[in-house]
Amino acid sequence: MSASSTVLVTHHSIPTDDTAPDGRHIAEVALNRPEKLNAWTAGMRAELVAALTAAGADDRCRAVVLTGTGRAFCAGQDLAETAAIDAGDHAAAEAWIDDFGRLFRAVRALDKPVVAAVNGVAAGSGFQFALLADLRIGHPGVRMGQPEVLSGIPSITGIWAMRSILGRAKTAEFALTGRLVHGAEALRLGLLNRLVDEDRVAAEALVEASRLAQLPPGAVALTKGRLRELDDAGLDEAIEAAKKVHVAAYATGEPQREMARFLSGHRR
């Protein structure tokens, strides 16, 4: 992919031995819209799904690192795109949720280890995306959370993504208040697995991915498969619930009004 792509893929070689094929690598998949804090559009998510699918199909790729360019991991949905959804366009609201379903399943379908290098803010659907990784490494200044309600967007898939880590009480707090937490609290809550200095996040994520990449791949794949089985049904239910809820929400016009308020600089 070119430097103008909204998703950049870099291959990092990993050590080999006499029994390992040449060319084994880690795929670093970076969101590349730094001027928008890597807030994504439908086109950007399509690029990301393609990159993740390619990594999953490549036998030489033994692990994946997810990150963002610039000072953010992913600020979530680009509100300029969703604010334009017409209140009566139920199909558009459903298609938007299906789009995220494809992205989430593309991450979860990877049988190889996935490490998120959380280099900055991870908010809304970007926060959910980070939680899909097997391990997350960040720094004290990161901010993580689910501020969708502040823009009039119900948090439905967010509840599914958070609950297994946070439990019901903290999930309700995050979903209803929209607050973001910094790195130390994210670590305490289990949203991050490790905290390092800001300039070490990318390197530490690659080191961790390299360690995992050298584990027996069959055991890793089967373990990840079982972990998926534990909550696959929950994701399916969350996607279907989100389509119903978001259709109802967009039909009121409230999300569009709140997003317009946000885009005009009047933030809650």
Side-chain angles (χ1 to χ4, degrees):
M1 295 181 181
S2 70
S4 62
S5 296
T6 57
V7 175
L8 300 179
V9 179
T10 306
H11 291 169
H12 300 270
S13 297
I14 56 176
T16 61
D17 55 39
D18 292 339
T19 64
D22 291 335
R24 292 195 309 171
H25 61 264
I26 297 162
E28 180 184 24
V29 181
L31 304 178
N32 186 41
R33 206 174 172 225
E35 73 284 359
K36 295 291 186 180
L37 300 182
N38 297 318
W40 44 30
T41 62
M44 189 173 177
R45 288 191 296 276
E47 274 194 67
L48 187 53
V49 168
L52 294 170
T53 302
D58 186 352
D59 291 337
R60 298 168 301 171
C61 176
R62 297 292 298 274
V64 174
V65 170
L66 306 175
T67 193
T69 60
R71 59 191 178 92
F73 179 79
C74 177
Q77 173 63 41
D78 185 333
L79 297 182
E81 182 179 68
T82 44
I85 295 178
D86 185 87
D89 192 348
H90 296 179
E94 289 193 357
W96 181 54
I97 297 300
D98 279 331
D99 195 40
F100 279 105
R102 283 187 288 274
L103 173 59
F104 286 11
R105 291 183 176 110
V107 181
R108 288 167 56 80
L110 291 167
D111 284 330
K112 48 208 70 180
V114 180
V115 179
V118 185
N119 56 305
V121 65
S125 52
F127 172 55
Q128 296 170 43
F129 181 64
L131 297 185
L132 297 176
D134 300 310
L135 297 173
R136 292 165 296 282
I137 297 173
H139 62 84
V142 303
R143 292 180 299 137
M144 304 179 74
Q146 192 65 30
E148 293 177 322
V149 69
L150 305 180
S151 298
I153 301 174
S155 180
I156 307 302
T157 56
I159 290 173
W160 168 82
M162 291 186 288
R163 185 161 179 167
S164 63
I165 296 173
L166 295 175
R168 190 192 186 285
K170 278 292 179 183
T171 294
E173 179 183 334
F174 271 62
L176 291 174
T177 68
R179 78 183 185 99
L180 304 181
V181 297
H182 285 91
E185 187 171 0
L187 179 68
R188 181 179 65 80
L189 292 172
L191 300 171
L192 291 174
N193 299 95
R194 193 184 312 160
L195 212 58
V196 300
D197 291 340
E198 184 173 356
D199 61 356
R200 293 294 303 163
V201 171
E204 289 296 326
L206 286 170
V207 167
E208 186 61 43
S210 183
R211 289 193 195 103
L212 295 172
Q214 295 178 72
L215 296 174
V220 169
L222 290 170
T223 300
K224 289 200 62 171
R226 177 55 184 154
L227 287 168
R228 271 196 304 272
E229 287 176 353
L230 293 175
D231 53 15
D232 259 348
L235 175 58
D236 292 342
E237 191 276 334
I239 293 294
E240 290 308 307
K243 286 196 281 190
K244 294 176 184 176
V245 170
H246 283 279
V247 164
Y250 272 88
T252 68
E254 181 179 82
Q256 296 92 324
R257 290 192 300 272
E258 292 297 328
M259 284 185 276
R261 177 202 296 267
F262 179 89
L263 292 169
S264 68
H266 296 89
R267 303 181 180 185
R268 292 185 182 275

